[in-house]
Amino acid sequence: MTFLDRHPDVSLDLGVSDRFVDIIREGFDIAIRMGSLADSDLVSRKIGDIRFVLAASPGYISRNGVPTDLEDLGRHVFVRYVASGRSWPYILANGTQLPTSGRFVTDDSGSIREAVICGAGIAYLLHVTVAKDLAEGRLVELLPDLRFPTMPVFAVHAFGRQLPVRAKLFIDSLAERIAELSS
């Protein structure tokens, strides 16, 4: 059952962007932020930790093979995420940075997912965003024994202690869903 099914009196106006939004100036009730938080006057609640996976499409794998180790992985093509003009590094939990090269670079994580599904290369993706694709065979997890750092996820708002019930319900629902997808 979805959030809206459980709460028929609540309306949801969802804006999705990889950019950092000013929730007060832009009129948002809540923002979901990933990674470390900058100091601010906003109230935050950690709603989970999500893991990364390396994934590719079955089509990419049939054309290029399955990488068997880190050295082999360095010979593959990657779809890369860029933020603030810099490519996001692929880093293992132990701090080792993976060598990546590729011709598709974007600042939109949804476009990365779509490009990988279409066979453009391998990507470092948040497991929660591709769990269904992995389960349904549109993507294949590569080198599953590699350990990647987890990414903390926070709900931030400017309501102080007076968080509206609708916002609390939504944050609780997100935390529940992240826990389900992370297990």
Side-chain angles (χ1 to χ4, degrees), residues 51-56 127 134 139-146:
R51 67 183 179 95
F52 286 96
V53 296
L54 278 180
H127 181 263
L134 292 166
L139 291 176
V140 176
E141 184 174 357
L142 305 174
L143 300 170
D145 292 336
L146 288 181

Side-chain angles (χ1 to χ4, degrees), residues 23 29-31 33 37 40-46 154-163 171:
I23 67 173
D29 286 345
I30 302 167
R33 301 241 165 100
L37 293 178
S40 78
D41 293 330
L42 301 174
V43 176
S44 66
R45 173 182 161 197
K46 186 174 181 182
F154 297 90
V156 297
H157 61 83
F159 292 111
R161 295 179 189 260
Q162 303 301 317
L163 184 65
I171 292 169

Side-chain angles (χ1 to χ4, degrees), residues 16-118:
V16 179
S17 173
D18 284 355
R19 73 180 177 82
F20 189 86
V21 299
D22 181 333
I23 67 173
I24 296 170
R25 188 169 289 141
E26 295 180 48
F28 291 100
D29 286 345
I30 302 167
I32 305 304
R33 301 241 165 100
M34 300 164 89
S36 59
L37 293 178
D39 289 337
S40 78
D41 293 330
L42 301 174
V43 176
S44 66
R45 173 182 161 197
K46 186 174 181 182
I47 58 174
D49 287 298
I50 51 181
R51 67 183 179 95
F52 286 96
V53 296
L54 278 180
S57 70
Y60 176 87
I61 291 169
S62 70
R63 289 188 313 277
N64 300 285
V66 176
T68 56
D69 56 31
L70 290 179
E71 184 178 333
D72 189 25
L73 190 62
R75 293 187 273 275
H76 282 265
V77 174
F78 289 82
V79 177
R80 297 175 298 151
Y81 181 78
V82 65
S84 301
R86 295 180 40 221
S87 270
W88 187 297
Y90 287 42
I91 299 175
L92 297 176
N94 67 8
T96 302
Q97 186 167 330
L98 302 179
T100 60
S101 64
R103 300 180 326 181
F104 190 106
V105 180
T106 181
D107 66 351
D108 177 61
S109 55
S111 295
I112 291 173
R113 178 187 158 273
E114 288 297 321
V116 173
I117 288 171
C118 291

